[in-house]
CSV table of all heavy atoms in Angstrom, one decimal:
chain,number,residue,atom,x,y,z
A,147,PRO,N,-24.0,0.3,-3.2
A,147,PRO,CA,-24.8,0.8,-2.1
A,147,PRO,C,-24.0,1.1,-0.8
A,147,PRO,O,-23.1,0.3,-0.5
A,147,PRO,CB,-25.8,-0.4,-1.8
A,147,PRO,CG,-25.8,-1.1,-3.1
A,147,PRO,CD,-24.5,-1.0,-3.7
A,148,ARG,N,-24.3,2.2,-0.2
A,148,ARG,CA,-23.5,2.6,1.0
A,148,ARG,C,-23.7,1.5,2.1
A,148,ARG,O,-22.7,1.3,2.9
A,148,ARG,CB,-24.1,3.9,1.5
A,148,ARG,CG,-23.3,4.6,2.6
A,148,ARG,CD,-23.8,5.9,3.1
A,148,ARG,NE,-23.0,6.5,4.1
A,148,ARG,CZ,-22.0,7.3,3.9
A,148,ARG,NH1,-21.7,7.6,2.6
A,148,ARG,NH2,-21.3,7.8,4.8
A,149,THR,N,-24.8,0.8,2.1
A,149,THR,CA,-25.0,-0.2,3.2
A,149,THR,C,-24.1,-1.4,3.0
A,149,THR,O,-23.8,-2.1,3.9
A,149,THR,CB,-26.4,-0.7,3.1
A,149,THR,OG1,-26.7,-1.1,1.8
A,149,THR,CG2,-27.4,0.4,3.5
A,150,LYS,N,-23.5,-1.5,1.8
A,150,LYS,CA,-22.6,-2.6,1.6
A,150,LYS,C,-21.1,-2.2,1.8
A,150,LYS,O,-20.2,-3.1,1.9
A,150,LYS,CB,-22.7,-3.1,0.1
A,150,LYS,CG,-21.9,-4.3,-0.3
A,150,LYS,CD,-22.3,-4.7,-1.7
A,150,LYS,CE,-23.6,-5.5,-1.8
A,150,LYS,NZ,-23.8,-6.2,-3.1
A,151,LEU,N,-20.8,-0.9,2.0
A,151,LEU,CA,-19.5,-0.5,2.1
A,151,LEU,C,-19.1,-0.3,3.6
A,151,LEU,O,-19.9,0.2,4.4
A,151,LEU,CB,-19.3,0.9,1.4
A,151,LEU,CG,-19.5,0.9,-0.1
A,151,LEU,CD1,-19.6,2.3,-0.6
A,151,LEU,CD2,-18.4,0.1,-0.8
A,152,ARG,N,-17.8,-0.6,3.9
A,152,ARG,CA,-17.2,-0.4,5.2
A,152,ARG,C,-15.8,0.1,5.0
A,152,ARG,O,-15.1,-0.4,4.1
A,152,ARG,CB,-17.2,-1.7,6.0
A,152,ARG,CG,-18.5,-2.3,6.3
A,152,ARG,CD,-19.4,-1.5,7.3
A,152,ARG,NE,-20.6,-2.1,7.6
A,152,ARG,CZ,-21.8,-2.0,6.9
A,152,ARG,NH1,-21.8,-1.2,5.8
A,152,ARG,NH2,-22.9,-2.6,7.2
A,153,CYS,N,-15.4,1.1,5.7
A,153,CYS,CA,-14.1,1.6,5.7
A,153,CYS,C,-13.2,1.1,6.8
A,153,CYS,O,-13.6,1.4,8.0
A,153,CYS,CB,-14.0,3.1,5.6
A,153,CYS,SG,-12.4,3.8,5.5
A,154,VAL,N,-12.2,0.3,6.5
A,154,VAL,CA,-11.2,-0.1,7.5
A,154,VAL,C,-9.9,0.2,7.0
A,154,VAL,O,-9.3,-0.4,6.1
A,154,VAL,CB,-11.4,-1.7,7.7
A,154,VAL,CG1,-10.4,-2.1,8.8
A,154,VAL,CG2,-12.8,-2.1,8.1
A,155,PRO,N,-9.2,1.3,7.5
A,155,PRO,CA,-8.0,1.7,7.0
A,155,PRO,C,-6.9,0.7,7.1
A,155,PRO,O,-6.9,-0.1,8.0
A,155,PRO,CB,-7.6,2.9,7.8
A,155,PRO,CG,-8.9,3.4,8.3
A,155,PRO,CD,-9.8,2.2,8.5
A,156,SER,N,-6.0,0.7,6.1
A,156,SER,CA,-4.8,-0.2,6.2
A,156,SER,C,-4.0,0.2,7.4
A,156,SER,O,-4.1,1.3,8.0
A,156,SER,CB,-4.0,-0.1,4.9
A,156,SER,OG,-4.5,-0.8,3.9
A,157,SER,N,-3.0,-0.6,7.7
A,157,SER,CA,-2.3,-0.4,9.0
A,157,SER,C,-0.8,-0.5,8.7
A,157,SER,O,-0.3,-0.9,7.7
A,157,SER,CB,-2.6,-1.5,10.0
A,157,SER,OG,-2.3,-2.8,9.5
A,158,VAL,N,-0.1,-0.1,9.8
A,158,VAL,CA,1.4,-0.2,9.8
A,158,VAL,C,1.8,-0.7,11.1
A,158,VAL,O,1.2,-0.4,12.2
A,158,VAL,CB,2.1,1.2,9.5
A,158,VAL,CG1,1.7,2.2,10.5
A,158,VAL,CG2,3.6,1.0,9.3
A,159,ASP,N,2.8,-1.6,11.1
A,159,ASP,CA,3.4,-2.1,12.4
A,159,ASP,C,4.3,-1.0,13.0
A,159,ASP,O,5.4,-0.8,12.6
A,159,ASP,CB,4.2,-3.4,12.1
A,159,ASP,CG,4.7,-4.1,13.3
A,159,ASP,OD1,4.8,-3.4,14.4
A,159,ASP,OD2,5.0,-5.3,13.3
A,160,VAL,N,3.7,-0.3,13.9
A,160,VAL,CA,4.4,0.9,14.5
A,160,VAL,C,5.6,0.5,15.4
A,160,VAL,O,6.3,1.3,15.8
A,160,VAL,CB,3.4,1.8,15.2
A,160,VAL,CG1,2.4,2.4,14.2
A,160,VAL,CG2,2.7,1.1,16.4
A,161,GLU,N,5.7,-0.8,15.7
A,161,GLU,CA,6.8,-1.3,16.5
A,161,GLU,C,8.0,-1.6,15.6
A,161,GLU,O,9.2,-1.4,15.9
A,161,GLU,CB,6.5,-2.5,17.3
A,161,GLU,CG,5.5,-2.2,18.4
A,161,GLU,CD,5.9,-1.1,19.3
A,161,GLU,OE1,7.1,-1.1,19.7
A,161,GLU,OE2,5.1,-0.2,19.6
A,162,GLN,N,7.7,-2.1,14.4
A,162,GLN,CA,8.7,-2.4,13.4
A,162,GLN,C,9.2,-1.1,12.7
A,162,GLN,O,10.4,-0.9,12.5
A,162,GLN,CB,8.2,-3.4,12.3
A,162,GLN,CG,9.2,-3.7,11.3
A,162,GLN,CD,8.7,-4.6,10.2
A,162,GLN,OE1,7.5,-4.6,9.9
A,162,GLN,NE2,9.6,-5.5,9.6
A,163,TYR,N,8.2,-0.2,12.4
A,163,TYR,CA,8.6,1.1,11.8
A,163,TYR,C,8.5,2.1,12.8
A,163,TYR,O,7.4,2.5,13.3
A,163,TYR,CB,7.6,1.4,10.6
A,163,TYR,CG,7.8,0.5,9.4
A,163,TYR,CD1,7.1,-0.7,9.3
A,163,TYR,CD2,8.7,0.9,8.4
A,163,TYR,CE1,7.3,-1.5,8.2
A,163,TYR,CE2,8.9,0.1,7.3
A,163,TYR,CZ,8.2,-1.1,7.2
A,163,TYR,OH,8.4,-1.9,6.1
A,164,ARG,N,9.7,2.6,13.2
A,164,ARG,CA,9.7,3.6,14.3
A,164,ARG,C,11.0,4.5,14.1
A,164,ARG,O,11.9,4.1,13.4
A,164,ARG,CB,9.7,2.9,15.7
A,164,ARG,CG,10.8,2.0,15.9
A,164,ARG,CD,10.7,1.3,17.3
A,164,ARG,NE,10.5,2.2,18.3
A,164,ARG,CZ,9.4,2.3,19.1
A,164,ARG,NH1,8.4,1.4,18.9
A,164,ARG,NH2,9.3,3.2,20.0
A,165,PRO,N,10.9,5.7,14.6
A,165,PRO,CA,12.1,6.6,14.5
A,165,PRO,C,13.2,6.2,15.4
A,165,PRO,O,13.1,5.4,16.2
A,165,PRO,CB,11.5,8.0,14.8
A,165,PRO,CG,10.3,7.7,15.7
A,165,PRO,CD,9.8,6.3,15.4
A,166,GLY,N,14.3,6.9,15.2
A,166,GLY,CA,15.4,6.9,16.1
A,166,GLY,C,16.3,5.7,16.1
A,166,GLY,O,16.9,5.3,17.1
A,167,ARG,N,16.5,5.1,14.9
A,167,ARG,CA,17.4,3.9,14.8
A,167,ARG,C,18.9,4.4,14.9
A,167,ARG,O,19.8,3.5,15.1
A,167,ARG,CB,17.1,3.1,13.6
A,167,ARG,CG,15.8,2.3,13.7
A,167,ARG,CD,15.6,1.5,12.5
A,167,ARG,NE,14.3,0.7,12.6
A,167,ARG,CZ,14.2,-0.5,13.1
A,167,ARG,NH1,15.3,-1.1,13.5
A,167,ARG,NH2,13.1,-1.1,13.2
A,168,GLY,N,19.2,5.6,14.5
A,168,GLY,CA,20.5,6.1,14.7
A,168,GLY,C,21.6,5.4,13.8
A,168,GLY,O,22.7,5.2,14.3
A,169,GLU,N,21.2,5.1,12.6
A,169,GLU,CA,22.1,4.4,11.7
A,169,GLU,C,22.4,5.2,10.5
A,169,GLU,O,22.5,4.6,9.4
A,169,GLU,CB,21.6,3.0,11.3
A,169,GLU,CG,21.4,2.1,12.5
A,169,GLU,CD,21.0,0.7,12.1
A,169,GLU,OE1,19.8,0.6,11.6
A,169,GLU,OE2,21.7,-0.3,12.2
A,170,ARG,N,22.6,6.5,10.6
A,170,ARG,CA,22.9,7.3,9.4
A,170,ARG,C,24.2,6.9,8.8
A,170,ARG,O,24.3,6.9,7.5
A,170,ARG,CB,22.9,8.8,9.8
A,170,ARG,CG,23.1,9.7,8.7
A,170,ARG,CD,22.0,9.7,7.7
A,170,ARG,NE,22.2,10.6,6.6
A,170,ARG,CZ,21.3,11.4,6.0
A,170,ARG,NH1,20.0,11.3,6.5
A,170,ARG,NH2,21.5,12.2,5.1
A,171,ALA,N,25.2,6.5,9.6
A,171,ALA,CA,26.5,6.1,9.0
A,171,ALA,C,26.3,4.8,8.1
A,171,ALA,O,26.9,4.7,7.1
A,171,ALA,CB,27.5,5.8,10.1
A,172,TRP,N,25.4,3.9,8.6
A,172,TRP,CA,25.1,2.7,7.8
A,172,TRP,C,24.4,3.1,6.5
A,172,TRP,O,24.8,2.6,5.4
A,172,TRP,CB,24.2,1.8,8.6
A,172,TRP,CG,23.6,0.7,7.7
A,172,TRP,CD1,24.2,-0.5,7.3
A,172,TRP,CD2,22.4,0.7,7.0
A,172,TRP,NE1,23.4,-1.2,6.5
A,172,TRP,CE2,22.3,-0.5,6.3
A,172,TRP,CE3,21.3,1.6,6.9
A,172,TRP,CZ2,21.2,-0.8,5.5
A,172,TRP,CZ3,20.2,1.3,6.1
A,172,TRP,CH2,20.1,0.1,5.4
A,173,LEU,N,23.5,4.1,6.5
A,173,LEU,CA,22.8,4.5,5.3
A,173,LEU,C,23.8,5.1,4.3
A,173,LEU,O,23.7,4.8,3.1
A,173,LEU,CB,21.7,5.5,5.7
A,173,LEU,CG,20.8,6.0,4.5
A,173,LEU,CD1,19.7,5.0,4.3
A,173,LEU,CD2,20.3,7.4,4.7
A,174,GLU,N,24.7,5.9,4.8
A,174,GLU,CA,25.7,6.6,3.9
A,174,GLU,C,26.6,5.5,3.3
A,174,GLU,O,26.8,5.6,2.1
A,174,GLU,CB,26.5,7.6,4.7
A,174,GLU,CG,25.7,8.8,5.2
A,174,GLU,CD,26.4,9.6,6.3
A,174,GLU,OE1,27.5,9.2,6.7
A,174,GLU,OE2,25.8,10.6,6.7
A,175,ALA,N,27.0,4.5,4.1
A,175,ALA,CA,27.8,3.5,3.5
A,175,ALA,C,27.1,2.6,2.5
A,175,ALA,O,27.6,2.2,1.4
A,175,ALA,CB,28.4,2.6,4.6
A,176,GLU,N,25.8,2.3,2.8
A,176,GLU,CA,25.0,1.4,2.0
A,176,GLU,C,24.7,2.0,0.6
A,176,GLU,O,24.7,1.3,-0.4
A,176,GLU,CB,23.7,1.1,2.7
A,176,GLU,CG,22.8,0.1,2.0
A,176,GLU,CD,23.3,-1.3,2.0
A,176,GLU,OE1,24.2,-1.6,2.7
A,176,GLU,OE2,22.7,-2.1,1.3
A,177,PHE,N,24.5,3.3,0.6
A,177,PHE,CA,24.0,3.9,-0.7
A,177,PHE,C,25.1,4.9,-1.2
A,177,PHE,O,24.8,5.6,-2.2
A,177,PHE,CB,22.7,4.6,-0.5
A,177,PHE,CG,21.6,3.7,-0.1
A,177,PHE,CD1,21.1,3.6,1.2
A,177,PHE,CD2,21.1,2.8,-1.0
A,177,PHE,CE1,20.1,2.7,1.6
A,177,PHE,CE2,20.1,1.9,-0.7
A,177,PHE,CZ,19.6,1.8,0.6
A,178,GLY,N,26.2,5.0,-0.6
A,178,GLY,CA,27.3,5.9,-1.1
A,178,GLY,C,27.0,7.3,-1.0
A,178,GLY,O,27.3,8.2,-1.8
A,179,LEU,N,26.4,7.7,0.2
A,179,LEU,CA,26.1,9.1,0.4
A,179,LEU,C,27.2,9.8,1.2
A,179,LEU,O,27.9,9.1,2.0
A,179,LEU,CB,24.8,9.2,1.2
A,179,LEU,CG,23.6,8.5,0.7
A,179,LEU,CD1,22.4,8.7,1.6
A,179,LEU,CD2,23.2,9.0,-0.7
A,180,ALA,N,27.4,11.0,1.0
A,180,ALA,CA,28.4,11.8,1.8
A,180,ALA,C,27.7,12.3,3.1
A,180,ALA,O,26.5,12.5,3.2
A,180,ALA,CB,28.9,13.0,1.0
A,181,PRO,N,28.5,12.5,4.2
A,181,PRO,CA,27.9,12.9,5.5
A,181,PRO,C,27.1,14.2,5.4
A,181,PRO,O,26.2,14.4,6.2
A,181,PRO,CB,29.1,13.0,6.4
A,181,PRO,CG,30.1,12.0,5.8
A,181,PRO,CD,29.9,12.1,4.3
A,182,ASP,N,27.5,15.1,4.4
A,182,ASP,CA,26.8,16.4,4.4
A,182,ASP,C,25.6,16.4,3.4
A,182,ASP,O,25.0,17.4,3.2
A,182,ASP,CB,27.8,17.5,4.0
A,182,ASP,CG,28.3,17.3,2.5
A,182,ASP,OD1,28.3,16.1,2.1
A,182,ASP,OD2,28.6,18.3,1.9
A,183,GLU,N,25.3,15.2,2.9
A,183,GLU,CA,24.2,15.2,1.9
A,183,GLU,C,22.8,14.9,2.6
A,183,GLU,O,22.8,14.0,3.6
A,183,GLU,CB,24.4,14.1,0.8
A,183,GLU,CG,25.5,14.5,-0.1
A,183,GLU,CD,25.7,13.5,-1.2
A,183,GLU,OE1,25.8,12.3,-0.9
A,183,GLU,OE2,25.8,13.9,-2.4
A,184,LEU,N,21.8,15.5,2.2
A,184,LEU,CA,20.4,15.2,2.6
A,184,LEU,C,19.9,14.0,1.8
A,184,LEU,O,20.2,13.9,0.6
A,184,LEU,CB,19.5,16.4,2.5
A,184,LEU,CG,19.8,17.5,3.4
A,184,LEU,CD1,19.0,18.8,3.0
A,184,LEU,CD2,19.5,17.2,4.9
A,185,ALA,N,19.1,13.1,2.4
A,185,ALA,CA,18.6,12.0,1.7
A,185,ALA,C,17.1,12.0,1.6
A,185,ALA,O,16.4,12.0,2.7
A,185,ALA,CB,19.1,10.7,2.4
A,186,VAL,N,16.5,12.0,0.4
A,186,VAL,CA,15.1,12.0,0.2
A,186,VAL,C,14.7,10.7,-0.4
A,186,VAL,O,15.3,10.3,-1.4
A,186,VAL,CB,14.6,13.2,-0.7
A,186,VAL,CG1,13.1,13.1,-1.0
A,186,VAL,CG2,15.1,14.5,-0.2
A,187,GLY,N,13.7,10.0,0.1
A,187,GLY,CA,13.3,8.7,-0.4
A,187,GLY,C,11.9,8.8,-1.1
A,187,GLY,O,11.1,9.7,-0.8
A,188,MET,N,11.7,7.8,-2.0
A,188,MET,CA,10.4,7.5,-2.6
A,188,MET,C,10.4,6.0,-2.7
A,188,MET,O,11.3,5.4,-3.2
A,188,MET,CB,10.3,8.2,-4.0
A,188,MET,CG,8.9,7.9,-4.6
A,188,MET,SD,8.7,8.8,-6.2
A,188,MET,CE,7.1,8.1,-6.7
A,189,ALA,N,9.3,5.4,-2.3
A,189,ALA,CA,9.1,4.0,-2.3
A,189,ALA,C,7.7,3.7,-2.9
A,189,ALA,O,6.7,3.9,-2.3
A,189,ALA,CB,9.2,3.4,-0.9
A,190,ALA,N,7.8,3.2,-4.2
A,190,ALA,CA,6.6,3.0,-4.9
A,190,ALA,C,6.8,2.1,-6.1
A,190,ALA,O,8.0,2.1,-6.7
A,190,ALA,CB,6.0,4.3,-5.4
A,191,GLN,N,5.8,1.4,-6.6
A,191,GLN,CA,5.9,0.7,-7.8
A,191,GLN,C,6.2,1.6,-9.0
A,191,GLN,O,5.7,2.8,-9.0
A,191,GLN,CB,4.6,-0.1,-8.1
A,191,GLN,CG,4.4,-1.4,-7.4
A,191,GLN,CD,3.1,-2.0,-7.9
A,191,GLN,OE1,2.0,-1.6,-7.5
A,191,GLN,NE2,3.3,-3.1,-8.7
A,192,PHE,N,7.0,1.2,-9.9
A,192,PHE,CA,7.2,2.0,-11.1
A,192,PHE,C,6.1,1.8,-12.1
A,192,PHE,O,6.2,1.1,-13.1
A,192,PHE,CB,8.6,1.6,-11.7
A,192,PHE,CG,9.7,2.2,-11.0
A,192,PHE,CD1,10.3,1.6,-9.9
A,192,PHE,CD2,10.3,3.4,-11.5
A,192,PHE,CE1,11.4,2.1,-9.3
A,192,PHE,CE2,11.4,4.0,-10.8
A,192,PHE,CZ,11.9,3.3,-9.7
A,193,ILE,N,5.0,2.5,-11.8
A,193,ILE,CA,3.8,2.6,-12.7
A,193,ILE,C,3.4,4.0,-12.8
A,193,ILE,O,3.8,4.9,-12.0
A,193,ILE,CB,2.6,1.7,-12.2
A,193,ILE,CG1,2.3,2.1,-10.8
A,193,ILE,CG2,3.0,0.2,-12.3
A,193,ILE,CD1,1.1,1.3,-10.2
A,194,ALA,N,2.7,4.4,-13.9
A,194,ALA,CA,2.5,5.8,-14.2
A,194,ALA,C,1.8,6.6,-13.1
A,194,ALA,O,2.2,7.8,-12.9
A,194,ALA,CB,1.7,5.9,-15.5
A,195,ARG,N,0.9,6.0,-12.4
A,195,ARG,CA,0.1,6.8,-11.5
A,195,ARG,C,0.9,7.2,-10.2
A,195,ARG,O,0.4,8.0,-9.4
A,195,ARG,CB,-1.2,6.1,-11.1
A,195,ARG,CG,-1.0,4.8,-10.4
A,195,ARG,CD,-2.4,4.1,-10.3
A,195,ARG,NE,-2.3,2.8,-9.6
A,195,ARG,CZ,-2.4,2.6,-8.3
A,195,ARG,NH1,-2.5,3.6,-7.5
A,195,ARG,NH2,-2.4,1.4,-7.8
A,196,LYS,N,2.1,6.6,-10.0
A,196,LYS,CA,2.8,6.9,-8.8
A,196,LYS,C,3.5,8.3,-8.9
A,196,LYS,O,4.0,8.8,-7.8
A,196,LYS,CB,3.8,5.8,-8.5
A,196,LYS,CG,3.2,4.5,-8.2
A,196,LYS,CD,2.3,4.5,-6.9
A,196,LYS,CE,1.8,3.1,-6.6
A,196,LYS,NZ,1.0,3.0,-5.4
A,197,GLY,N,3.7,8.8,-10.1
A,197,GLY,CA,4.2,10.2,-10.2
A,197,GLY,C,5.7,10.3,-10.2
A,197,GLY,O,6.2,11.4,-9.9
A,198,HIS,N,6.4,9.3,-10.6
A,198,HIS,CA,7.9,9.4,-10.8
A,198,HIS,C,8.3,10.5,-11.7
A,198,HIS,O,9.3,11.3,-11.4
A,198,HIS,CB,8.5,8.1,-11.3
A,198,HIS,CG,8.3,6.9,-10.3
A,198,HIS,ND1,7.2,6.1,-10.3
A,198,HIS,CD2,9.2,6.5,-9.3
A,198,HIS,CE1,7.4,5.2,-9.3
A,198,HIS,NE2,8.5,5.4,-8.8
A,199,ARG,N,7.6,10.7,-12.8
A,199,ARG,CA,7.9,11.7,-13.8
A,199,ARG,C,7.7,13.1,-13.2
A,199,ARG,O,8.4,14.1,-13.5
A,199,ARG,CB,7.2,11.5,-15.1
A,199,ARG,CG,7.7,10.3,-15.8
A,199,ARG,CD,7.1,10.2,-17.2
A,199,ARG,NE,7.8,9.1,-18.0
A,199,ARG,CZ,7.3,7.9,-18.2
A,199,ARG,NH1,6.1,7.6,-17.8
A,199,ARG,NH2,8.0,7.0,-18.9
A,200,THR,N,6.7,13.3,-12.3
A,200,THR,CA,6.5,14.6,-11.7
A,200,THR,C,7.7,14.9,-10.8
A,200,THR,O,8.2,16.1,-10.8
A,200,THR,CB,5.2,14.5,-10.8
A,200,THR,OG1,4.1,14.3,-11.7
A,200,THR,CG2,5.0,15.9,-10.1
A,201,LEU,N,8.2,13.9,-10.1
A,201,LEU,CA,9.4,14.1,-9.3
A,201,LEU,C,10.6,14.5,-10.1
A,201,LEU,O,11.3,15.5,-9.8
A,201,LEU,CB,9.7,12.9,-8.5
A,201,LEU,CG,11.0,13.0,-7.6
A,201,LEU,CD1,10.9,14.1,-6.6
A,201,LEU,CD2,11.2,11.7,-6.9
Side-chain angles (χ1 to χ4, degrees):
R148 188 180 183 89
T149 54
K150 186 175 282 194
L151 296 171
R152 300 290 183 271
C153 181
V154 181
S156 284
S157 63
V158 61
D159 186 337
V160 296
E161 294 306 313
Q162 182 183 26
Y163 289 90
R164 57 185 309 118
R167 289 182 178 266
E169 294 184 293
R170 183 65 180 219
W172 168 83
L173 186 85
E174 292 165 1
E176 182 73 9
F177 298 106
L179 308 179
D182 67 331
E183 288 182 315
L184 294 167
V186 179
M188 178 176 177
Q191 280 184 285
F192 281 84
I193 53 179
R195 64 187 178 89
K196 297 296 184 178
H198 293 88
R199 289 190 169 102
T200 301
L201 176 59

